[in-house]
Amino acid sequence: MTDEKSPRRGLTRRSFLKSTAAAAGAVAVAGAAAPTLTALAEEGSPSSAEEQVFAGTCRGASCNSGCSLNVHVRDGKVVYVTPCNPSGDEQDPRFEGRACLKGMSHVNRIYNPERTKYPLRRVGERGGGEWERISWEEAVTEITDKWKEIRAKYGNEALIWVGSNGNAGFLGTGSAAFLPNAMGMVGIEMGYDMAINGWSPKFLGFGALYSSNAIYDCVDSKAFICWGANITNSYMQNWRFVCDAREKGAKLIVIDTCYTPAAAKADKYVFVRPGTDAALALGMMGVLLEDDLVDIAFMKRGTVAPFFVKRSDRRYYRLSDAVADEAAGQPILIGGELPSAVLAKVQAASANLEDSAAASTSAVASDPFIVWDLATDGYALHTDAEDPDIEGVRTLGTQECDTAYQLLLDRIAEYPLEKASEISDVSVEDIRELSHLIAENSPAFFLMGFGIDHYANGHYNVGAITAFAMMTGNVGRHGAACGVQFPLGPYANSKAPMLDGTMPYQVPMLQMPQWVETGEYKGKPFNMKAIYSQCGNWIENNAGMEATVEEILPTVELHVVADSVMSGSARFADYVLPVAHFFEQTDVVGRYLWNPYAMYQEKATEPLYECKSDFDIQKMLAKAMGVGESYWDMTDDEYLELWLDTDMARSIGITLDALKEKKSLKYISTDYVHGDYEKGEFPFVHLGL
């Protein structure tokens, strides 16, 4: 519609725009959200020749999905965004138009009345909302002078950095590390989502997508288990894949403390008492055992079930342990040979490992695990056993050992159905039905959400659910997964943030009150006196906000927050530094949960007011501190090229020039499956087993 009559009482497009422009002017007088309405009240249609379109992406960490966007600009203002396909010449309908309403509303974020506009200095009490505008020169000088004073008085460990993924990208979150690294600041390890992110790979290994198949692989599933994940609200762009699976006959199972929209559509919804997911999963595993539903063959070839665990230190019994027991006069025969003879052969074979895949597993290859082989009725290396036993207790040399599976059986026995039901508030009948519904509809895709890990026992929830998935053989094949979808990316090992030093250590956020009180963390000094926060709302997004405000902040002499909005953390700051929006800066982004593309963020508009990018802010602060000289004069493009200066990025053709031309480049196969169910092999890095 241009100037033709609107069906709504003769209102024309032109008169509507004029009315909104008038409203914008009225609001401007009142000092409210004028920029939003002014930007939206531009004359002309979306097809106007004056309009420019820039490549962009939704880069917030709230869902971490990285949906591709076209950013539409007229007269220097972002007027709207449209979802687009990131795949360039390789059009893939799975990635077309996936952005949700939140991603489509970035224009409101840019022109948000809560937008930080200028450097601010607190003049009243913390949290009182009284500020005065200062210049960037004043802000940088005063902040760094105070940092120098604190460092001289208390030591480097008194300077603390805390950040997250609120501005995902190399020049956003990526650049956030170079200043604290160069200064040797102590980092705060954010407490949220760590049970899934930190523990899932320990059970399932690390791969290109961290520890899972991609979410769109669920289309090949016969069951989709949404466990503590509000997919319809928090991952709504992925809900379509679940719907596609359902159209093909997949069962939808929702286990949650809330009756979500997904629960309303589920074939089976189960309410679970908050924090008791592990007990429920253990009860479900008991049903698998009772009704002979365990995939024993997979447990033998694809898990640690056959490995012996020493009772003395709870570590696996390996070839090196057998050699030590032989030296102590308590030998066991491995394949009919003494351990020392077997070790000599293993070392000779390990010396020939040349390819990168073999080299990555050399720690295990050179010191393999010992199992009992039912085929030979004797001990064997786990790599040689034809039919490893997964149950039982044995004495190996000087060590009393249980198989890993036996330890799991013992734990399951502690949670019979009635007890699991009592703890979880899930009926015995529902526990039985859940177990059969999943076991009998394989392959099954488990989406574990962050709802299950926001507890002190969150890692147990993750471990128990993952164990159930393994017992039913629902990992390592199309349509079957249970882990975290978080691509490592071809630039995961980039040295870009570490040219001038590294952070000495990080302190867990959830135990911060304890470390503040004791003044040390694991024998290291922790005398927190200054906090620099960026790319995240650390106070409001972590547990214990009241304790943070009332117990921790009073011990801090300087609290600086760099953000694009006046967040809860910024309200309790001493200085607030205004950060540019995603679309106001160039960047390269990737490592998203469902999007297998590295994407180029074009600078669509100049930063409003006096906002600066995180990278530029850090360079100013670093220069004033006399650290990080390698970065002082570095341009955005030079920093982006440094991030992409990795062998893996080069091997698949991801360069800054290529991204500028193509706007997006694929770095993970869309057919990727985490592991190989049939071979029982999974991506692995040494975890100190």
Side-chain angles (χ1 to χ4, degrees), residues 39 74 161-162 265 405 407 418 427 571 574 611 615 657-658:
R74 276 185 261 141
W161 175 84
V162 56
K265 299 292 184 181
Y405 189 62
L407 293 176
E418 293 73 16
S427 70
R571 295 181 195 279
D574 301 311
C611 297
F615 186 50
D657 287 341

Side-chain angles (χ1 to χ4, degrees), residues 170-181:
F170 295 158
L171 289 169
T173 302
S175 72
F178 100 71
L179 174 66
N181 282 346

